[in-house]
Amino acid sequence: MANKRIRSRRPQETEDILAGLDLPTPKRQRQTTRRASEISEEIHRLECVIAAAPTMQRQRAISRRDTLPPLEDSRSPARRSRQSQTAPLPLNARRLRSQQRLMQGAQLLIILVAIAGVAGWMKQWLQW
């Protein structure tokens, strides 16, 4: 069975429809009046918040500026090191750190080669 549109037996007259729209029920009228007053109060509240926003932001910045950072507990150095390791480093800091490690490795390699060279020279000339 196909879906069919079933029409009502008595068609509504346009005058009846318009008459129903013009005369709101008292309950609906009270609801719309209440809703309109709630919306106007909300608009007023938001306008006040928007107007006071720069002042509140400035006060928040001043109050943050006057506070001291929390004291670090000197009794637990492991706790501090764990906290510093968990903070993610920016990409440029990671690159700088890896370049420093690479340079230190190269320096270590140069020192080891120099020590081996000096030991070989000593063996050759001093006949160990």
Side-chain angles (χ1 to χ4, degrees):
M1 179 174 188
N3 292 335
K4 294 183 180 179
R5 185 173 179 183
I6 301 173
R7 296 187 181 192
S8 62
R9 295 180 186 235
R10 181 181 155 267
Q12 288 185 338
E13 303 270 336
T14 55
E15 295 150 2
D16 294 339
I17 295 172
L18 291 176
L21 291 177
D22 290 341
L23 301 172
T25 61
K27 182 179 179 183
R28 184 174 296 267
Q29 191 173 11
R30 279 182 299 203
Q31 286 176 346
T32 55
T33 306
R34 189 177 343 115
R35 183 72 180 138
S37 65
E38 288 173 0
I39 289 174
S40 64
E41 288 173 3
E42 183 69 15
I43 289 171
H44 177 69
R45 186 187 69 78
L46 290 173
E47 286 174 347
C48 292
V49 167
I50 290 170
T55 307
M56 290 188 319
Q57 187 175 11
R58 203 172 311 118
Q59 287 174 348
R60 221 177 288 127
I62 289 171
S63 67
R64 267 192 250 123
R65 192 178 306 147
D66 292 339
T67 58
L68 293 173
L71 293 174
E72 292 186 13
D73 191 9
S74 61
R75 290 173 281 162
S76 60
R79 185 177 184 195
R80 268 186 278 138
S81 66
R82 237 184 293 127
Q83 287 176 350
S84 65
Q85 289 176 354
T86 57
L89 290 174
L91 186 60
N92 57 351
R94 277 189 252 153
R95 283 184 183 157
L96 182 64
R97 199 176 265 182
S98 67
Q99 286 176 354
Q100 287 174 346
R101 284 188 193 133
L102 188 65
M103 288 299 291
Q104 287 176 347
Q107 288 173 355
L108 179 66
L109 185 66
I110 289 172
I111 290 172
L112 290 176
V113 167
I115 290 173
V118 167
W121 177 80
M122 289 174 68
K123 182 177 181 182
Q124 179 183 1
W125 285 98
L126 298 177
Q127 301 286 325
W128 281 354

